[in-house]
Structures are given as C-alpha cells and as structure tokens.
Amino acid sequence: MEELDRRIVQLLSRDGRLSFTDLGKASGLSTSAVHQRVRRLEERGIITGYRAVLNHDAAGIPLAALISVIPVDPAAPDDIPDRLRHITALDSCFSVAGDENYVLKVRVASPLELEELLAQIRSAANVTTRTTVVLSTPWEDRSPLAGDEAPAEDG
Amino acid sequence: MEELDRRIVQLLSRDGRLSFTDLGKASGLSTSAVHQRVRRLEERGIITGYRAVLNHDAAGIPLAALISVIPVDPAAPDDIPDRLRHITALDSCFSVAGDENYVLKVRVASPLELEELLAQIRSAANVTTRTTVVLSTPWEDRSPLAGDEAPAEDG
DNA sequence: CTTGAAAAGAATGCCGT
DNA sequence: ACGGCATTCTTTTCAAG
C-alpha cells in the first residue's frame, strides 16, 4: 500500500465521514482521484466499513473487563466462539497463544451484570474464566498506520 | 437512553454512513426526527465520532498481541500512558485491576516488529512486559446495546 | 413528531488528459 | 492515474400543523 493510500486510510480512520472534497484537500488530490482510491481500498478489503464511535460511559455501559477463558474439557471440540457469539456484551474475542485459550473484552453496565455475564459465559461454553477489571482507558481503538515503526520489509 | 435512541445508535454502530432517510426507514421515524435525535446523541457525547473500519490483515499489520505491563519501580510516579502514547502500534491501553498495571493491545506487521516494539515499550516506560500473541480474532469491536442482558437498573 | 419545500453540498459517472 | 464537469441524491434548515 502506497503512501497516499495510507494517508487516506488514516484520515478516514479518524473521521469516517470526511467528504471526498475534504479528503482531496487533505491529501492534495482531486475529488475524483480520492474517490477512485477509496473505492479501490474498499474493494481490496482494506476498508471494510464505517461505524459510529460510542462513549461507553455516556451510553450506560461504563464497566469493561478482560476475561481469560479456558475450556473445562480440553479434549472437547472447540466451538467456544460459536457458543458465545450471541452474547452482545462481548465486544471482542481473541484466540490466543498464552496460558488461556481465548481472551474476551466485555462491556456491561454494572458489577452485577458482570457477575451474571460470567455465569452466562461459563455455562454457555463450559469454560473457566479469569477476569481482569478495567479501571480506566487512557486510549482505545486508535488508528494505526502512522509509520513510526519499521518500514514494510516484504510483501 | 430510550429504546429508539438505542436502535439508532446500534444502526449507526453498524453503518456509520447511513443516510438520515435510511435511518428513518429503519427506525420508523421521519428524516427530521432522526436528524434531531442523532444531533442530540452527538451533543450528549454518546456518539463521539465516525470512523472507517480497517481489515488489519489486508492493511499489512496482521499480527496482534496483548501485552501486560508492570513497572520496574512500583514507587515511581505512574505516567506510563503518557510515555507510551506516541507509539502508534499501540491500539489500546487499559489500566486494570489485575496482577499487571496495564494491558496494551498492539498491532504490528511481523514478529520482528513485535520484538522491536517490546524493547521500545520497556525502555520508554521502564516496565516489564508479558506478551500474549493473538492467533485469530473470531470477532472484534462489535457494537453493544442490543439489550439481551439485564435491563438498566438505575442511573 | 410530521410533512413539505428549498438551498447547499456531496456522490457518482462521463469525458478529457 | 489524475482533473473538470454535470447529474442525481443527501444533507440541512426552514416553515406550519
């Protein structure tokens, strides 16, 4: 991905409603050129969609937690994500290479709801859990691609 | 927050570029009414912005990891987030109540970059780290507010 | 909250380079 | 791959019920 595309992706990561006119001004291209590039970024699956960003505190779900998940029966077929997917309090689900099998990020309204959620997870997926409560979030879901790391080495 | 607002927030969480016309059709309101409600949701800080959603694999940063962070000197004043904020590979930073002080979510292009990133984190913030590599992501950043949990109890 | 209207702005496609 | 232009749709604001 070239420099100009990275710049466009970064701009849209910060403001997904930028008009092609404004995107053009910010990237030094014409409206048509930016439009073309964004369409290709979408076609190539680099930009997969656009979303509103919520303030979870204001939205009434101020309590976040990270939950490590380990199956009770390690020999059972692992369909844990399928068993948990319907629980909407589960923000993210990562399959990981550490002591646990999965790490979940969850959001709930209160400690009581967290307690209920943990029971729901354990019974739905037959797992044990270890929960780390989030106290505060200095930042979250920041857009990457600023390029202060090592440059792409190979492709 | 009422039912209709939750529905609107949920719709915009899934597609942040929905027109007010389509939002109205999907929520059973007129264009003007939806427009009014969205403006109020933005004013109240419930909707804080709009963003493009990236496919990190396609964008060339396929490797994610969760990094637990513990200060080398527990007595030192804790400005760890400030010391790390400039590192753009850091997607999220959570201050947590578990064994560690912080959990970072990071995205890099390769294991080599992860190695360099860890060195950068340790030297910038004077911390030790424990890293859990993400193997796959069944889902991520899903929109909440579907209300299959306990109803709001107070607030 | 609804309908309706009108003006400004954006998206989209076509045609040049 | 980029720029300019024209058409269509959306946004945004206004009015009145």
Side-chain angles (χ1 to χ4, degrees):
Chain A
M1 193 166 49
E2 341 164 13
E3 185 52 34
L4 260 163
D5 283 334
R6 284 161 64 115
R7 174 127 188 80
I8 289 171
V9 165
Q10 209 184 338
L11 287 162
L12 285 175
S13 295
R14 287 199 275 240
D15 183 354
R17 285 190 158 178
L18 273 177
S19 69
F20 292 121
T21 307
D22 289 344
L23 260 182
K25 285 174 190 164
S27 63
L29 289 179
S30 71
T31 303
S32 324
V34 179
H35 188 227
Q36 229 169 23
R37 278 179 183 266
V38 171
R39 265 199 342 121
R40 270 188 306 162
L41 286 167
E42 289 169 353
E43 279 171 11
R44 285 197 281 159
I46 292 175
I47 295 176
T48 60
Y50 301 86
R51 289 210 198 138
V53 182
L54 304 190
N55 177 336
H56 300 98
D57 292 344
I61 42 176
L63 179 54
L66 301 170
I67 305 179
S68 293
V69 169
I70 300 178
V72 170
D73 176 8
D78 183 351
D79 55 354
I80 290 175
D82 289 338
R83 288 174 176 274
L84 296 178
R85 183 169 281 116
H86 70 282
I87 306 175
T88 58
L90 306 188
D91 175 286
S92 304
C93 174
F94 304 104
S95 170
V96 300
D99 298 329
E100 59 275 281
N101 289 43
Y102 294 91
V103 174
L104 308 174
K105 179 153 80 79
V106 310
R107 293 206 173 269
V108 291
S110 64
L112 180 61
E113 274 194 24
L114 181 56
E115 185 177 29
E116 293 167 358
L117 174 62
L118 287 168
Q120 195 182 354
I121 290 169
R122 287 190 287 254
S123 75
N126 194 30
V127 294
T128 60
T129 61
R130 194 179 62 83
T131 300
T132 299
V133 169
V134 172
L135 302 171
S136 70
T137 305
W139 70 82
E140 192 173 8
D141 295 328
R142 221 164 43 160
S143 96
L145 302 181
D148 72 348
E149 301 302 321
E153 35 192 89
D154 199 7
Chain B
M1 194 166 49
E2 342 163 14
E3 185 52 33
L4 262 164
D5 283 335
R6 284 160 65 116
R7 175 128 186 79
I8 290 170
V9 165
Q10 209 185 338
L11 287 163
L12 285 175
S13 294
R14 287 199 274 241
D15 183 354
R17 285 190 158 178
L18 273 177
S19 71
F20 292 119
T21 307
D22 289 344
L23 260 183
K25 285 175 191 162
S27 63
L29 289 179
S30 70
T31 304
S32 323
V34 178
H35 187 227
Q36 228 170 23
R37 278 178 183 266
V38 171
R39 264 197 345 120
R40 271 187 300 165
L41 286 167
E42 289 170 351
E43 278 170 9
R44 285 198 280 160
I46 292 175
I47 295 176
T48 61
Y50 301 85
R51 289 210 198 136
V53 181
L54 304 190
N55 178 336
H56 300 98
D57 292 344
I61 42 176
L63 178 54
L66 300 170
I67 305 179
S68 294
V69 169
I70 299 178
V72 170
D73 175 9
D78 182 354
D79 55 353
I80 290 175
D82 290 337
R83 288 174 176 274
L84 297 178
R85 184 169 281 117
H86 70 281
I87 306 175
T88 58
L90 306 188
D91 174 286
S92 304
C93 173
F94 304 104
S95 169
V96 300
D99 298 329
E100 59 276 280
N101 290 41
Y102 295 91
V103 174
L104 308 173
K105 180 154 79 78
V106 311
R107 293 205 172 271
V108 292
S110 65
L112 179 61
E113 273 194 24
L114 181 56
E115 184 177 30
E116 293 168 357
L117 175 61
L118 287 167
Q120 196 182 354
I121 290 170
R122 287 191 286 255
S123 74
N126 194 30
V127 293
T128 61
T129 60
R130 195 179 62 82
T131 300
T132 300
V133 169
V134 172
L135 302 172
S136 71
T137 305
W139 70 82
E140 192 173 10
D141 295 329
R142 221 163 44 159
S143 98
L145 300 182
D148 71 347
E149 301 301 321
E153 35 193 271
D154 198 7

